[in-house]
Amino acid sequence: MLIERPPLPYRLLFPEAIWRIKIKRRKVAFLTFDDGPIPEVTPWVLDTLDHYGVKATFFMVGDNVRRYPGLIEEVRRRGHTVGNHTMHHLQGMKVTSRTYMRDITEADALIDSPLFRPPHGILRWAQAAAIKNHYNIIMYDLVTRDYSRKMRPQQVLANVKRYARNGSIIVFHDSLRAQRNLRYALPRAIQWLKLQGYELEPLPV
């Protein structure tokens, strides 16, 4: 549970970040996808979202955008929003703040979004303080763990069913590592969320 739903003490470490967006009088959840875009997975995700009439937000690695510029254009063309996930998928605790900010800025030149999500949800306080001056820091309320080789696809879906709640920002991954679990869990999660009365929307930009 510490991974799937970040505990309150961890959330309080970064009060400038957005973890959940509750909307009164209706049930809303926000699907997000990290680590793409890549041609092996992202087009399938887009087709799946189209099939269910759902819009989402893609937190993109700048180096992937550099290699596959047509994919960010296609994501936007289909009505989804995008966010910055650093240029090289850096974990903030493992690099200096100067290196981290430089990497984010390099990615921003390709992605051009006010939304930022730190890879692994980990960064230094000083980094968060600097980032908030330029971006909205988007964390998450529910991590599906689709990236884990130890998780079965059914367990990923079960995480959505167990932890989704009004205002949840839900993390999937359009990556090679996640695709086995993603291809099973994503369409079934969308179906289940809709049956529970959730409206699925992209994060506001």
Side-chain angles (χ1 to χ4, degrees), residues 20-28 30 166-167 199 201:
R20 182 183 176 198
I21 305 174
K22 290 190 287 185
I23 298 178
K24 294 180 179 179
R25 293 184 294 277
R26 60 191 181 104
K27 293 172 68 175
V28 180
F30 303 88
N166 189 26
E199 298 176 36
E201 300 180 356

Side-chain angles (χ1 to χ4, degrees), residues 86-153:
T86 75
M87 187 69 188
H88 300 99
H89 203 259
L90 296 185
Q91 187 179 120
M93 294 295 290
K94 294 183 178 180
V95 296
T96 65
S97 293
R98 178 175 294 181
T99 297
Y100 197 61
M101 295 305 300
R102 185 166 58 242
D103 207 69
I104 294 169
T105 300
E106 185 179 357
D108 184 60
L110 297 169
I111 299 168
D112 187 24
S113 170
L115 307 180
F116 172 78
R117 173 177 286 158
H120 310 289
I122 298 173
L123 73 170
R124 302 175 190 271
W125 286 331
Q127 292 164 349
I131 293 166
K132 74 176 182 179
N133 293 324
H134 305 282
Y135 306 93
N136 294 322
I137 302 174
I138 308 296
M139 290 293 200
Y140 40 78
D141 187 56
L142 194 170
V143 179
T144 64
R145 297 188 67 195
D146 55 345
Y147 58 82
S148 175
R149 299 283 171 82
K150 297 180 180 179
M151 297 286 289
R152 298 191 305 276

Side-chain angles (χ1 to χ4, degrees), residues 4-6 11 19-20 140-143 163 165 168-169:
E4 289 85 351
R5 177 177 288 167
R11 298 177 192 232
W19 298 86
R20 182 183 176 198
Y140 40 78
D141 187 56
L142 194 170
V143 179
Y163 294 106
R165 56 182 175 172
S168 281
I169 299 173

Side-chain angles (χ1 to χ4, degrees), residues 31 33 44-45 48-49 51-52 157 172 179-194 200:
L31 297 182
F33 298 86
W44 176 86
V45 172
T48 301
L49 296 175
H51 177 76
Y52 291 103
L157 177 60
F172 286 97
Q179 69 170 327
R180 179 181 68 93
N181 288 333
L182 179 70
R183 288 178 183 269
Y184 175 90
L186 179 61
R188 291 167 174 82
I190 293 172
Q191 292 171 26
W192 183 85
L193 288 164
K194 286 195 161 192
L200 302 177

